[in-house]
Amino acid sequence: MNYLLAFTSLAVAVTVYIAVCTRKVSFRAIPGPPSPSWVFGNMLQLWVSSPYGKYEFAWLKEYGNVYRLKGCFGQDRLMVSDPRAVQHVLNNVDTFRISPLVETFLHNFEGPRGIQVVQGAEHRRMRTALNVAFTASAVRQYQELFENVARKISSELEATSESVVDVCQVIGAGTLAAITEVVLGRSVEELDEELVQILSTALVQDTRQTPSSVVANALSVLLPQFNLLKHVVSLLPVLSLLRKARKLATRLGTQVIEEKAAALEGGMDPGDDLYAYLLRQNTTLTKEDIAIQTPVLLIAGQDTTANTLTFGLLELARKPELQEKIRQEIHSMADSPYDNRPLLNALIKESLRMFPAEALAERIVVRDTVIPLTESISTMAGEHIDHIPVRKGEVVLVGIASYQRDKSRWGENPDKFDPLRWVDGRVIQGEAIGPYANLLSFLGGPRTCLGWRFAVMEMQTIFSELLGKFSFALEEDKPDDLFVQLAVSLQPSDPDGKKVVPLRITRLL
Ligand code: HEM
């Protein structure tokens, strides 16, 4: 057995060595930081640093918005947050694909026909059909459902008023309720307990970036021919959790769709939720097409929104005067549509800007191409270039978090949480890449977040309800030592690596 293990490790090591040594990198001449290790390159600094961005944001200042990094085993990575380069990578989804490891995760969780798994014409067909339920006018139809959920969260908080509460738990439970009630028309209490447990805790705890996940990702890129790796990875506990969640969520989705379709056929009201809306629209989607999107909708729409809301509340607890200003707007503009409330929307934009759920988007080049740049850069030899050739098999990292800290775009002190930058004219929008406020938090191009309008309305209703009724404060006499960590998405963390945000919540009025 030991011989077998030793032989396999040697074979992998030799193959890695040959693969690295025989590959010529097209962007080697681009400057970047020194690499602290051959095994990890700069990848631990990039993916596993605490707080997230400790190195990345310093590199951004030193090397600008295009630079070279070392990957594991001496590979090279191209890091871009230059607007034109980002736009090019995100728009050309058939040339820049997600990494094989992420693909394996998505496959386990969504199955072969999940919206994030399907490609090309099938993706376009599904996107167009699903989009019907995510347009501005469709999302307006769900406003009342969102407001009901927001009121439920605040009535839960009434019971705990004046005490210190973990906001991650409260908001996490709230966004899970929002997604199940608004998408499926079901309350969380009606869901399978195991599914709720996986969605609300297990997945979040088990998906942190670690040195092993960084190496596994590098190997999946370097040795795509090692299909074996896929099978080994499939044995990981987190993937069996994902498969379990997929099975339970798809079963739930199928049940809900069948019931709603039967109600419609019988001339009865199937409800005001998103699935009912989708069924009424007669799209090209079959009942099965819709049901199999249940896992991705439940997961993509929950933790992302929860973390953005939680970061927003934490920042407001750190800035009581700003919190009071936003509260006054909520009270004075109670009858105005959410979109017309400048400070509320500034809070949402700033929370998305500083804490994008997906901080880095990694893409593999599947055919040789050239990436255009907004401004030319200098190579180490002093040559000025405004295009970067990339070859099949190379890896490009889109620095979403870095893009959102570019001073020339977002104004002075881009590392500071300052929602007022959105109302006093400091933000220079420039060309549109992302769908909302030109942020990349919802990505851009054909793979733009399907639920971005849904998420914005959810955050508008929950922030308005909670900030209108409660004040949020840091714990007295405790150090403010919470920081940002990268798990499946950016999340708040205490010094022990636990996802927790304890705040004192007080009922107002
Ligand atoms: C603050 C909240 C949210 C953020 C920051 C966010 C961000 C993102 C990002 C960055 C992607 C692209 C992932 C990639 O391809 O690399 C994405 C995709 C997606 N999101 Fe969201 N999301 C949020 C909320 C939601 C909600 C509420 C829903 C559904 C109700 C949703 C549904 C989806 C779906 C279905 C995709 C896949 C789209 C496709 O591949 O065509 N998201 N989201």
Side-chain angles (χ1 to χ4, degrees):
M1 187 62 194
N2 281 344
Y3 283 120
L4 184 66
L5 191 67
F7 180 75
T8 315
S9 313
L10 186 68
V12 171
V14 170
T15 321
V16 166
Y17 187 76
I18 294 171
V20 171
C21 291
T22 53
R23 188 173 281 177
K24 289 201 179 71
V25 179
S26 55
F27 48 83
R28 190 160 274 168
I30 293 175
S35 162
S37 120
W38 184 79
V39 174
F40 292 109
N42 303 106
M43 293 300 105
L44 292 187
Q45 296 170 317
L46 184 69
W47 292 97
V48 196
S49 72
S50 285
Y52 176 80
K54 181 172 158 189
Y55 297 92
E56 183 188 331
F57 303 144
W59 294 331
L60 175 69
K61 289 190 181 107
E62 187 167 353
Y63 300 100
N65 55 17
V66 179
Y67 55 91
R68 182 188 43 75
L69 287 172
K70 277 288 172 198
C72 297
F73 315 118
Q75 296 174 78
D76 288 83
R77 299 279 183 265
L78 181 66
M79 175 78 164
V80 295
S81 53
D82 168 278
R84 205 158 161 219
V86 168
Q87 196 164 28
H88 182 83
V89 172
L90 297 183
N91 279 339
N92 292 286
V93 283
D94 296 331
T95 306
F96 298 90
R97 296 277 298 268
I98 53 173
S99 86
L101 191 70
V102 177
E103 227 165 51
T104 306
F105 270 71
L106 294 176
H107 218 273
N108 275 269
F109 182 56
E110 297 182 24
R113 295 182 54 226
I115 181 80
Q116 287 182 290
V117 176
V118 288
Q119 304 288 333
E122 181 58 0
H123 177 251
R124 284 191 290 277
R125 178 189 81 88
M126 278 208 179
R127 256 313 277 227
T128 312
L130 282 169
N131 203 39
V132 167
F134 289 93
T135 59
S137 67
V139 168
R140 268 196 296 277
Q141 316 266 327
Y142 317 134
Q143 182 168 330
E144 219 178 295
L145 288 178
F146 279 124
E147 287 171 346
N148 289 342
V149 175
R151 275 193 291 274
K152 270 194 205 164
I153 305 174
S154 83
S155 60
E156 301 242 323
L157 279 183
E158 301 273 354
T160 56
S161 188
E162 275 299 338
S163 46
V164 173
V165 173
D166 175 16
V167 174
C168 292
Q169 296 259 344
V170 175
I171 298 293
T175 55
L176 183 60
I179 202 90
T180 55
E181 299 209 9
V182 182
V183 173
L184 304 165
R186 289 277 166 103
S187 76
V188 179
E189 292 75 38
E190 294 173 83
L191 262 57
D192 186 296
E193 267 179 36
E194 198 180 1
L195 178 62
V196 174
Q197 207 270 334
I198 299 177
L199 290 174
S200 51
T201 51
L203 275 186
V204 180
Q205 296 301 332
D206 288 357
T207 46
R208 289 206 195 107
Q209 297 288 338
T210 60
S212 356
S213 65
V214 166
V215 167
N217 192 30
L219 286 176
S220 81
V221 171
L222 200 56
L223 309 172
Q225 67 274 32
F226 265 65
N227 255 340
L228 181 68
L229 190 71
K230 262 193 183 169
H231 298 295
V232 175
V233 166
S234 299
L235 300 175
L236 288 175
V238 66
L239 284 198
S240 68
L241 266 185
L242 285 176
R243 287 193 296 273
K244 181 88 203 198
R246 169 182 153 205
K247 198 172 130 206
L248 294 170
T250 311
R251 193 168 69 196
L252 169 70
T254 309
Q255 233 175 42
V256 168
I257 287 289
E258 288 299 344
E259 278 172 27
K260 290 185 185 295
L264 263 179
E265 272 163 35
M268 289 180 342
D269 179 11
D272 301 321
D273 50 86
L274 191 144
Y275 273 9
Y277 188 88
L278 207 46
L279 280 174
R280 278 200 211 95
Q281 302 303 309
N282 267 332
T283 63
T284 58
L285 297 170
T286 63
K287 285 189 277 183
E288 196 203 350
D289 281 340
I290 303 175
I292 56 179
Q293 306 310 330
T294 313
V296 60
L297 293 177
L298 290 186
I299 194 112
Q302 196 242 330
D303 202 40
T304 44
T305 322
N307 289 338
T308 314
L309 282 160
T310 305
F311 276 122
L313 292 175
L314 171 62
E315 289 296 333
L316 291 187
R318 289 170 169 155
K319 296 173 184 58
E321 279 174 23
L322 175 66
Q323 185 180 151
E324 190 46 39
K325 243 185 183 165
I326 297 177
R327 181 170 298 115
Q328 276 170 17
E329 181 191 89
I330 291 169
H331 291 159
S332 66
M333 298 190 76
D335 297 328
S336 311
Y338 294 110
D339 285 347
N340 294 357
R341 305 179 191 182
L343 290 180
L344 171 68
N345 294 301
L347 168 66
I348 292 171
K349 289 172 190 167
E350 190 69 349
S351 305
L352 286 164
R353 183 185 75 82
M354 287 285 288
F355 310 107
E358 184 174 52
L360 280 169
E362 187 180 59
R363 296 291 186 264
I364 311 237
V365 181
V366 296
R367 69 178 72 96
D368 295 2
T369 184
V370 169
I371 301 179
L373 302 177
T374 314
E375 283 175 28
S376 66
I377 56 164
S378 288
T379 64
M380 287 190 284
E383 190 193 349
H384 292 283
I385 52 168
D386 60 7
H387 282 77
I388 301 176
V390 284
R391 294 207 192 97
K392 183 177 170 181
E394 291 176 345
V395 176
V396 180
L397 291 155
V398 176
I400 294 177
S402 285
Y403 171 87
Q404 296 183 169
R405 289 182 183 227
D406 179 347
K407 199 162 132 184
S408 66
R409 182 168 292 260
W410 313 107
E412 283 303 314
N413 300 323
D415 296 329
K416 199 172 147 208
F417 183 88
D418 181 4
L420 299 181
R421 75 177 69 243
W422 294 92
V423 286
D424 62 16
R426 264 178 287 162
V427 173
I428 299 149
Q429 294 274 319
E431 70 284 15
I433 306 179
Y436 178 65
N438 205 11
L439 292 162
L440 282 183
S441 297
F442 294 117
L443 212 71
R447 292 273 172 188
T448 292
C449 174
L450 178 68
W452 72 267
R453 289 191 185 87
F454 185 111
V456 170
M457 172 162 285
E458 185 176 347
M459 291 192 278
Q460 288 172 329
T461 52
I462 296 180
F463 270 141
S464 296
E465 173 70 20
L466 297 189
L467 289 167
K469 288 196 177 147
F470 301 92
S471 77
F472 294 81
L474 295 173
E475 277 184 284
E476 312 80 15
D477 309 324
K478 292 260 171 80
D480 176 8
D481 50 11
L482 299 174
F483 61 91
V484 185
Q485 151 176 298
L486 185 63
V488 74
S489 51
L490 280 194
Q491 63 180 37
S493 167
D494 73 2
D496 298 328
K498 199 165 163 234
K499 184 181 172 185
V500 61
V501 173
L503 295 182
R504 182 169 298 285
I505 303 183
T506 308
R507 178 73 161 100
L508 301 165
L509 306 174

